[in-house]
């Protein structure tokens, strides 16, 4: 088993040179080729930006709807006391719907059977008490990602279609998934392009010189492939 893994790693190294830069779709296709995991890996993008995230005007965080979906199903919990909003969210495809009175029992559990929480703004009074538990799991709703909203049904629809959250880390790098390895490379490239164009439009006015320093594509268990920046 170890020998096979070593052989695969060596094959990947032979196919990718650190100095090589590829057009977006070619980079995606190559990332697929050098991926040897036996499960349907995510195809991830890393965008290295010239940002000083210590400054409030250079912090990027948000979400974008991927035109071709994310390739994975998402279980969504909607938190609202509004009866009409509950009905609309159910129609939109929400997996769980809870009121403020019901939430504590759900959130006090050790394991959660949902991936995202969409909350009415009024529900943040309840959810805020569980920040230390939800935050590390990436489950705390946030208006910047569209998960704190007066229209939960719309948020559910977008999440079900496929939505990519993005956030620049301390180094100014955005890491997110653009889909699954099983998806068509052209569709993955279209997803990536929407994200890249969104990031370009959000360039802070304080940033001078080169904004996007480099972009790489990789499968979950595979090496990174450098992308040509237009």
């Amino acid at each position: 088993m170890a020998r096979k893994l070593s052989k695969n790693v060596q094959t990947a190294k032979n196919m990718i040179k650190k100095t090589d830069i590829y057009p977006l779709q070619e980079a995606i296709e190559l990332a697929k080729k050098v991926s040897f995991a036996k499960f349907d890996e995510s195809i991830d993008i890393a965008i290295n930006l010239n940002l000083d995230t210590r400054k409030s005007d250079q912090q990027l965080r948000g979400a974008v709807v991927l035109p071709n979906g994310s390739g994975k199903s998402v279980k969504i919990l909607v938190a609202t006391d509004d009866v009409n909003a509950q009905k609309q969210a159910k129609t939109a495809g929400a997996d769980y719907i809870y009121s403020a009175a019901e939430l504590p029992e759900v959130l006090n559990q050790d394991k959660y059977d949902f991936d995202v929480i969409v909350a009415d703004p009024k529900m943040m009074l309840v959810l805020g008490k569980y920040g230390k538990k939800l935050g590390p799991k990436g489950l705390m709703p946030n208006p910047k990602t569209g998960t704190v909203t007066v229209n939960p049904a719309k948020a559910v629809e977008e999440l079900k279609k496929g939505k990519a959250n993005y956030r620049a880390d301390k180094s100014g790098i955005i890491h997110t998934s653009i889909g699954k390895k099983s998806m068509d490379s052209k569709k993955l490239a279209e997803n990536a392009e929407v994200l890249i164009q969104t990031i370009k439009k959000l360039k802070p006015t304080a940033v001078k010189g080169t904004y996007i320093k480099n972009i790489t594509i990789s499968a979950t268990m595979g090496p990174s492939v450098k992308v040509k920046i237009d």
Side-chain angles (χ1 to χ4, degrees):
M1 190 72 173
R3 183 178 298 176
K4 183 177 181 181
L5 179 62
S6 177
K7 181 180 179 181
N8 288 339
V9 171
Q10 188 60 48
T11 300
K13 287 184 177 181
N14 291 337
M15 293 178 71
I16 299 177
K17 295 180 181 178
K18 292 183 178 180
T19 55
D20 288 347
I21 302 176
Y22 302 85
L24 181 57
Q25 189 170 323
E26 287 184 27
I28 291 171
E29 290 171 351
L30 183 54
K32 286 184 175 185
K33 287 180 182 179
V34 296
S35 165
F36 300 100
K38 293 183 179 179
F39 61 93
D40 190 12
E41 297 175 81
S42 292
I43 299 298
D44 303 321
I45 187 170
I47 306 174
N48 189 355
L49 303 171
N50 177 24
L51 294 177
D52 184 352
T53 54
R54 294 172 297 177
K55 299 178 180 178
S56 60
D57 62 348
Q58 293 188 44
Q59 295 176 1
L60 291 188
R61 183 176 185 180
V64 61
V65 177
L66 301 173
N68 300 303
S70 63
K72 60 182 179 181
S73 59
V74 180
K75 287 189 176 182
I76 305 170
L77 182 155
V78 170
T80 179
D81 281 331
D82 188 303
V83 176
N84 287 330
Q86 290 177 348
K87 291 179 180 178
Q88 292 169 1
K90 184 177 181 180
T91 301
D95 299 277
Y96 307 101
I97 301 172
Y98 295 107
S99 64
E102 298 167 326
L103 266 182
E105 182 178 351
V106 176
L107 299 180
N108 280 323
Q109 296 177 13
D110 294 328
K111 293 183 179 181
Y112 299 143
D113 188 31
F114 52 85
D115 307 299
V116 184
I117 298 176
V118 174
D120 181 288
K122 296 178 182 178
M123 304 298 283
M124 295 308 291
L125 289 173
V126 178
L127 289 164
K129 298 176 183 178
Y130 297 87
K132 291 182 179 179
K133 190 174 183 181
L134 297 175
K137 296 178 183 293
L139 291 172
M140 179 59 75
N142 190 296
K144 290 184 178 180
T145 59
T147 48
V148 176
T149 172
V150 294
N151 191 346
K154 182 180 179 182
V156 171
E157 288 176 359
E158 292 181 345
L159 286 163
K160 288 293 183 179
K161 287 179 182 177
K163 202 171 186 180
N165 292 330
Y166 59 83
R167 183 177 188 175
D169 63 18
K170 293 180 180 180
S171 301
I173 302 174
I174 287 173
H175 298 273
T176 194
S177 171
I178 54 170
K180 290 288 188 177
K181 181 181 174 181
S182 58
M183 293 173 62
D184 180 75
S185 295
K186 183 178 180 181
K187 291 184 177 181
L188 287 168
E190 290 172 353
N191 282 353
E193 190 60 39
V194 167
L195 175 65
I196 293 168
Q197 293 305 320
T198 299
I199 299 303
K200 283 183 177 180
K201 291 176 183 177
L202 294 173
K203 178 182 178 181
T205 54
V207 174
K208 305 301 179 184
T210 301
Y211 174 45
I212 299 180
K213 296 196 284 188
N214 62 66
I215 300 174
T216 59
I217 297 288
S218 65
T220 304
M221 304 293 288
S224 298
V225 182
K226 290 183 179 180
V227 176
K228 181 180 180 182
I229 302 174
D230 294 330

